[in-house]
Amino acid sequence: MEIKNISIINLSGKINKEDSVKIKKDINFMKNKFPTLNFCLLEHTFANPDPKFLADALNKAIKDDKMDLIMVVKGGVRSIELINYININVELKNKKAILGNSDFCHIAPHLNKINNLEVFIGLNLKSFSKLDKDSIERFEDVILKRKSLNIREE
């Protein structure tokens, strides 16, 4: 499975104007770096901090067969409040991945229960343009191209 379509979602609190501009800048950076990728910015999740609303948006993103990867722009302390509203009984037709960082780790084990959903923790879209060349290549290989991570001893 090679990643082609990416949903960008917020799962905690409101995104302020400054962060919204930064997120859009990093999406443009990614578009320039990976011109074959298609992005769907779920901007309606930027303004509504309600856990039920955000979980519903996440459930829809998970079920969306057109999307291959969900990138969480902000996990946040409140992301744990989504657990009771996340549907883990969904049947995905195709493999899909979700990528988040920081407090996203609160809901990651819960999301791991969904068949065909691979959960990755470690990268935040807001810091993507600050990554070094090796980290961007690793993201491309492991996340986008689904290659095995080759860890070598030094």
Side-chain angles (χ1 to χ4, degrees):
M1 171 186 93
E2 192 167 322
I3 304 295
K4 293 287 182 198
N5 300 302
I6 300 175
S7 288
I8 309 294
I9 192 169
N10 167 48
L11 295 181
S12 179
K14 290 183 180 180
I15 300 285
N16 64 35
K17 247 184 190 169
E18 183 181 319
D19 281 345
S20 182
V21 168
K22 175 75 174 111
I23 289 162
K24 290 173 184 173
K25 178 183 166 201
D26 279 354
I27 290 171
N28 285 330
F29 176 85
M30 287 185 72
K31 284 179 179 180
N32 290 330
K33 196 78 179 156
F34 308 109
T36 60
L37 294 179
N38 301 306
F39 292 87
C40 177
L41 180 61
L42 303 177
E43 208 162 358
H44 65 284
T45 64
F46 286 23
N48 191 336
D50 178 61
K52 190 170 179 351
F53 174 84
L54 296 174
D56 185 51
L58 177 60
N59 288 331
K60 287 176 183 172
I62 290 170
K63 286 192 251 180
D64 186 347
D65 290 331
K66 295 181 293 283
M67 292 298 138
D68 306 308
L69 173 65
I70 301 165
M71 287 185 77
V72 179
V73 295
K74 186 177 176 187
V77 175
R78 296 195 58 215
S79 63
I80 197 166
E81 296 175 22
L82 277 66
I83 289 176
N84 292 331
Y85 305 110
I86 295 173
N87 180 9
I88 60 168
N89 298 315
V90 63
E91 291 293 325
L92 299 178
K93 295 177 188 170
N94 307 312
K95 274 195 173 231
K96 185 177 294 208
I98 186 167
L99 175 63
N101 79 329
S102 186
D103 289 328
F104 171 75
C105 68
H106 293 301
I107 63 173
H110 194 67
L111 293 170
N112 261 330
K113 297 175 185 175
I114 299 173
N115 288 333
N116 284 330
L117 182 66
E118 296 177 303
V119 180
F120 295 92
I121 299 173
L123 182 66
N124 183 331
L125 179 65
K126 291 192 304 182
S127 60
F128 195 87
S129 62
K130 296 177 187 172
L131 294 176
D132 61 35
K133 184 179 181 237
D134 289 341
S135 296
I136 291 173
E137 287 175 2
R138 199 168 303 116
F139 169 80
E140 181 177 18
D141 287 345
V142 176
I143 303 295
L144 299 180
K145 294 183 177 175
R146 316 303 296 142
K147 293 181 181 177
S148 295
L149 182 59
N150 185 12
I151 300 174
R152 57 190 177 271
E153 289 185 38
E154 299 201 17

